[in-house]
Amino acid sequence: MTVDPEPVGDGIADELPPRPWWAPLTLVAFVTLVVCSYIGTAVSTKWVNTNPEALLLLSSRVRHLVAVAGGGIAFWSYFWIGFFRLGLAFVVCHLIGRAYGRTVLIWFGKYLGVRAEQIHKIMDMFHHAEWFVIPFFAGSNVVAAISGITRVSARRLAVLLSIGLVVRLVFWWLVARIADDQIDTVLDFLNKYQTPALIVSVVLTVVFVGVNVRRGRNFEL
């Protein structure tokens, strides 16, 4: 008689089937996306005015979405690039969750600065309202990984994620339109002081990475 592995922690089983052959590829893809995101943050003060499309491809974080949307980028360029970049990151993290299970959540804590309390809270919300959490947190790597750990079906994930990305992108575009004058002031400032702003941005990015790694040394989930 076989016995199913009992759920641990927040109801996610530790025992997993053998990792698929493509598992290492998801890690390569994730590291590449993280590096691109850090580069995007570092050059954002310059590229937000000079190359907004490339900035969104590197990183579609909220601050970049708003800054780019407040500039001169066309809506459909903003929408499809943002949709692709956010969707790609979510799918990669989903596949990592499927391949590596709870281990990926420990990596998030050790190397990306995600707190254990935050992970547990999201896991609890996910188990109670998966249909709400996926679209609402469509930009969250942790939610994406948990959706893979819990084996959310591809069809269900595609629907929920698409809804979340559409709402997210349209919402921040509208916010940027409403706050157009304020954003223009910031963009004009960054355009005027591109070099100093770029240096400060690079330094802050390096410090942020260092703080995350140092804080994650004693991480326990």
Side-chain angles (χ1 to χ4, degrees):
M1 180 180 68
T2 60
V3 180
D4 293 333
E6 295 185 2
V8 297
D10 294 87
I12 298 175
D14 274 338
E15 296 185 26
L16 294 170
R19 291 169 183 166
W21 65 267
W22 45 261
L25 298 179
T26 64
L27 294 182
V28 173
F30 179 73
V31 171
T32 301
L33 291 175
V34 170
V35 172
C36 287
S37 182
Y38 284 138
I39 293 174
T41 298
V43 303
S44 61
T45 53
K46 183 175 182 178
W47 283 18
V48 69
N49 287 303
T50 61
N51 201 350
E53 293 86 359
L55 174 57
L56 282 187
L57 276 175
L58 286 175
S59 176
S60 291
R61 292 176 176 174
V62 170
R63 60 180 177 272
H64 298 150
L65 291 175
V66 174
V68 167
I73 192 172
F75 171 77
W76 288 113
S77 295
Y78 157 88
F79 180 85
W80 288 117
I81 294 174
F83 191 97
F84 169 78
R85 179 61 174 82
L86 290 169
L88 177 62
F90 199 100
V91 170
V92 167
C93 290
H94 172 86
L95 292 176
I96 292 176
R98 279 183 174 269
Y100 292 94
R102 288 172 60 95
T103 302
V104 69
L105 300 179
I106 297 175
W107 293 340
F108 284 153
K110 282 186 174 293
Y111 306 114
L112 298 181
V114 182
R115 297 183 179 278
E117 297 80 6
Q118 180 184 354
I119 294 176
H120 285 296
K121 184 176 181 179
I122 293 175
M123 291 169 70
D124 184 63
M125 290 190 298
F126 193 94
H127 290 308
H128 286 89
E130 167 195 303
W131 60 269
F132 172 78
V133 172
I134 292 178
F136 190 81
F137 294 100
S140 170
N141 291 337
V142 175
V143 169
I146 293 174
S147 73
I149 296 170
T150 57
R151 300 295 197 271
V152 175
S153 69
R155 179 180 298 180
R156 182 176 178 81
L157 182 68
V159 172
L160 294 176
L161 179 59
S162 296
I163 293 173
L165 291 180
V166 170
V167 172
R168 183 184 185 87
L169 291 166
V170 172
F171 174 78
W172 290 117
W173 176 271
L174 293 177
V175 168
R177 298 293 94 185
I178 294 171
D180 186 58
D181 292 339
Q182 293 86 343
I183 293 175
D184 284 343
T185 300
V186 174
L187 295 181
D188 289 341
F189 174 83
L190 294 176
N191 190 50
K192 184 177 181 180
Y193 300 100
Q194 282 187 9
T195 301
L198 178 60
I199 294 173
V200 171
S201 181
V202 170
V203 171
L204 289 177
T205 300
V206 172
V207 171
F208 177 75
V209 173
V211 169
N212 281 343
V213 173
R214 182 178 179 83
R215 188 171 62 185
R217 287 179 179 176
N218 299 319
F219 178 84
E220 293 184 2
L221 186 61

